[in-house]
């Protein structure tokens, strides 16, 4: 009777339940009953409205089997669910999916590794199914959290640990694929999800990174390796995640990377950080590269107070990101990159000088180590600036050159330059050196069609400023920058090192005909270049490299910019340099004087062969041969040796050892050169900055006769007054000698105005006008005083205005005003 009642009850049960029960065998080892599974599948396809009930009943049985640890029936239930999912792909599958996801969640919540892997595999299969319509109510928050936790599995058994981690990574990959294909895919990009997904992937990537130490972008792994290796699988998932990122959610995917690197202190050493950002830059779409660069710059600002090595690690990561982005679209971040890097360059110099001051009495080792760490930061910044600038197109590179030059602190251009006032002279010099080194890297390889485009006045004027001549290293950097911009045919390597070149034709120098634009540039700005070279030779701290760079500068100007007029100016400049060494008004050391003589010899030897005037070449060759026999210290091959015997004086040397203006004029005059200007000594151009600079003014270094009494005191006037004697009266009576002197003086003045270049005449007139103006202002300041005022009088001392109030009772009023 009891059996009959059971049979009767079984017949009354719904058909879908009977079909579901039939797929489970008595012994779970027998596996799924395929014949009954086919009946269930046919029933589900024929009556899709029953799918939700089928799923709910399967979920009920699976939950019961999980609690009772009947894992065999759990495997059978999941296999049946998978088959139903693959067979039923219609809109009616959505209610069934909710039951399916509930069962997958039950498996993931269990502590059994096999069930977790089973649930993950089912979820991955579900993720690969493309649904016709989106599900607005479905969320995957639980799965993101659970899969992320599985990625951090710390099971004691290494095999089980690896298996769970792989399952977690594959689950995250399934969530990403499912949500990206869904129209509501934006939910996965929310920060609360990215903060779990990205660190989980980076955690597994870093584990294998410790073993392999792979720095560059890895090659695509094979299928077997990808499934067995958590690191390779995580890397592939990370690339896929970034590849699906769009404009609006790019930042949410990148910011967790910074948090992970900060938390695990992976900026020093930064191999893994570089590895991660290479993956990021190669995986995202090219037009979004500037977003990543902006994020790195922002993180650099956040960590600006960290240790130097951490900042250097971030900057090196930026360098690698820029290296990839420079090949594609950089976006609007060009100036922002340079501005931020220059700001951190100033901060690094500030830290370096602060550590030096604070640890003045501490151990030398700690001080030197901190300084060396800051130097690492500075070198990384300079390398990044140079690499970034060298990959920009020429039109953008010229803007960057102007931008960096505007940041260099020079006298008279403090509006946009980096604030170095609180750093002192040493800090200002460090800033100048760092910025010029950056500018040197940016200008490397720059090829301008005309020299005017490469050296516009707003760039050339501060570059040749006397403020950048106060140190030997500064002058070297300025000259090297000029070489980068002037040398448009890559001849600089052939001219490296100062020497007497036997045959210039062996160098195979490349040159083109001088263009009209270049001729116009030399007429406008040639005097600035000559003046910079002239003043550079007069510095006492010059070393061999300075003379080598000066020689290269003269040679490059000859190759790139010299026509007949410029050649005459260059010869006049060379003779003036020779006079510096001979007359020695600046009391230069003997090494510097001999170095200048060697520079003049090497350059005139080069110039004579370049213009190929035989008589000129003979004169230069004869002087060089005479020097090699009687005064070899006037030649570069001898003076720049480690041990060179220097002469005690240069006054006793014969004229055969010097290059003579009259002989050069004779040799060039026969070849059609206009040599009238050779008789006029070269005088450097005077600028407004010379009168404001802290250095000795150029007005004091050249012999300009200005008829202005230099002193203000009566004693000075008495000292400068000529004493009245019998001889003086006799000379005054002798009018013949006086007339001859006046005639000679007039002749020299007329000759100077006829033959001297317009720039020199303008420079002399400008100097006189400036001195007269200063003297007049001084006289007016002494004579014209404003009436007293109760509000006070303004006095200027040391460039600052001070107000001194006058009490009313001390003021003197006219009688008519007093009653």
């Amino acid at each position: 009777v009891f059996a009959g009642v059971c049979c009767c009850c079984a017949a009354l049960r719904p058909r879908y339940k009977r079909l579901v029960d039939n797929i489970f065998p008595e012994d779970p080892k027998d596996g799924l009953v395929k014949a009954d599974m086919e009946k269930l599948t046919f029933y589900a396809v024929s009556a899709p409205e029953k799918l939700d009930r089928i799923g709910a009943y399967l979920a009920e049985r699976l939950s019961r089997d999980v609690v009772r640890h009947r894992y065999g029936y759990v495997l059978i239930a999941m296999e049946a669910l998978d088959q139903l999912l693959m067979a039923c792909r219609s809109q009616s599958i959505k209610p069934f999916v909710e039951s399916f996801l509930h069962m997958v969640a039950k498996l993931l919540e269990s502590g059994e590794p096999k069930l977790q892997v089973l649930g993950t595999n089912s979820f991955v299969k579900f993720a690969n199914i493309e649904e016709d319509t989106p599900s607005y109510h479905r969320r995957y928050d639980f799965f993101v959290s659970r899969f992320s936790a599985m990625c951090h599995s710390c099971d004691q058994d290494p095999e089980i640990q690896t298996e769970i981690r792989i399952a977690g990574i594959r689950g995250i990959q399934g969530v990403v694929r499912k949500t990206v294909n869904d129209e509501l895919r934006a939910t996965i990009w929310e920060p609360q999800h990215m903060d779990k997904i990205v660190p989980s992937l980076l955690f597994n990537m870093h584990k294998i990174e410790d073993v392999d130490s792979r720095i560059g972008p890895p090659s695509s792994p094979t299928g077997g390796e990808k499934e067995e290796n958590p690191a390779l699988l995580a890397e592939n998932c990370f690339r896929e995640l970034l590849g699906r990122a769009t404009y609006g959610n790019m930042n949410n995917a990148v910011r967790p990377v910074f948090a992970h690197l900060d938390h695990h202190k992976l900026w020093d050493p930064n191999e893994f950080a570089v590895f991660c950002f290479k993956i990021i830059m190669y995986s995202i779409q090219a037009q979004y590269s500037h977003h990543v660069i902006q994020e790195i710059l922002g993180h650099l600002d956040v960590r600006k107070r960290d240790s130097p090595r951490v900042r250097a690690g971030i900057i090196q990561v930026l360098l690698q990101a820029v290296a990839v982005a420079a090949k594609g679209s950089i976006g609007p971040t060009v100036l922002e990159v340079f501005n931020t890097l220059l700001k951190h360059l100033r901060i690094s110099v500030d830290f370096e000088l602060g550590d030096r001051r604070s640890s003045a009495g501490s151990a030398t080792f700690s001080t030197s180590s901190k300084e060396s760490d800051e130097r690492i930061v500075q070198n990384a910044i300079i390398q990044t600036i140079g690499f970034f600038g060298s990959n920009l197109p020429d039109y953008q590179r010229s803007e960057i050159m102007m931008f960096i030059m505007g940041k260099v602190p020079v006298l008279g251009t403090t509006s946009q330059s980096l604030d170095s006032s609180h750093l002192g002279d040493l800090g200002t010099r460090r800033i100048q050196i760092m910025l010029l080194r950056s500018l040197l890297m940016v200008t490397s390889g720059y090829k301008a069609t005309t020299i005017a485009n490469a050296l516009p006045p707003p760039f050339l004027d501060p570059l040749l400023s006397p403020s950048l001549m106060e140190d030997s290293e500064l002058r070297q950097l300025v000259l090297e920058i000029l070489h980068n911009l002037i040398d448009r045919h890559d001849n600089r390597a052939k001219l490296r090192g100062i020497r007497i070149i036997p045959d210039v034709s062996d160098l195979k120098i490349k040159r083109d005909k001088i263009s009209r634009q270049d001729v116009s540039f030399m007429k406008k700005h040639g005097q600035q270049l000559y003046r910079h070279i002239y003043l550079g030779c007069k510095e006492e701290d010059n070393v061999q490299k300075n003379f080598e760079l000066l020689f290269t500068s003269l040679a490059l100007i000859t190759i790139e910019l010299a026509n007949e007029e410029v050649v005459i100016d260059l010869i006049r400049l060379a003779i003036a340099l020779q006079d510096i060494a001979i007359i020695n008004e600046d009391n230069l050391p003997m090494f510097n004087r001999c170095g200048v003589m060697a520079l003049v010899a090497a350059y005139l030897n080069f110039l004579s062969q370049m213009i190929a005037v035989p008589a000129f070449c003979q004169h230069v060759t004869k002087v060089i041969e005479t020097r090699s026999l009687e005064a070899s210290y006037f030649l570069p091959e001898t003076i720049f040796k480690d041990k060179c015997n220097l002469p005690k004086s240069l006054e006793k040397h014969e004229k055969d050892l010097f290059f003579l203006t009259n002989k050069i004029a004779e040799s060039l005059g026969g070849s059609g050169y206009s040599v009238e200007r050779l008789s006029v000594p070269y005088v450097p151009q005077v600028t407004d900055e010379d009168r404001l600079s802290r250095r000795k003014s150029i007005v004091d270094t050249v012999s300009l006769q200005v008829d202005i009494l230099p002193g203000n005191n009566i004693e000075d006037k008495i000292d400068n007054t000529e004493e009245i004697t019998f001889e003086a009266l006799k000379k005054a009576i002798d009018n013949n000698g006086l007339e001859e002197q006046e005639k000679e003086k007039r002749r020299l003045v007329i000759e100077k105005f006829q033959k001297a270049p317009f720039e020199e005449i303008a420079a002399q007139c400008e100097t006189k006008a400036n001195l007269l103006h200063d003297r007049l202002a001084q006289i007016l300041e002494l004579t014209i005083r404003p009436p007293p005022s109760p509000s006070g009088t303004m006095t200027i001392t040391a460039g600052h205005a001070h107000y001194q109030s006058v009490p009313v009772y001390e003021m003197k009023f006219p009688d008519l005003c007093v009653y």
Side-chain angles (χ1 to χ4, degrees), residues 28-43:
K29 295 181 180 180
D30 296 338
L32 182 68
V33 180
K34 295 182 178 180
D36 292 327
M37 185 64 210
E38 291 178 357
K39 295 179 181 179
L40 178 62
T41 303
F42 179 78
Y43 178 77

Side-chain angles (χ1 to χ4, degrees), residues 140 144 175-176 179-180 184-190 193-194 197:
Y140 299 93
V144 171
V175 172
V176 172
T179 54
V180 166
L184 297 181
R185 58 185 178 275
T187 56
I188 198 64
W189 299 105
E190 295 176 356
H193 298 321
M194 287 291 105
I197 293 175

Side-chain angles (χ1 to χ4, degrees), residues 536-566:
C537 291
K538 300 176 68 172
E539 298 294 336
E540 296 183 1
D541 59 344
N542 281 337
V543 294
Q544 179 179 351
K545 185 177 181 181
N546 290 89
F547 289 109
E548 291 177 353
L549 295 174
L550 288 167
F551 167 75
T552 306
S553 301
L554 290 168
L556 289 176
I557 293 175
T558 304
I559 296 171
E560 298 286 348
L561 304 171
N563 55 7
E564 292 186 2
E565 183 178 353
V566 174

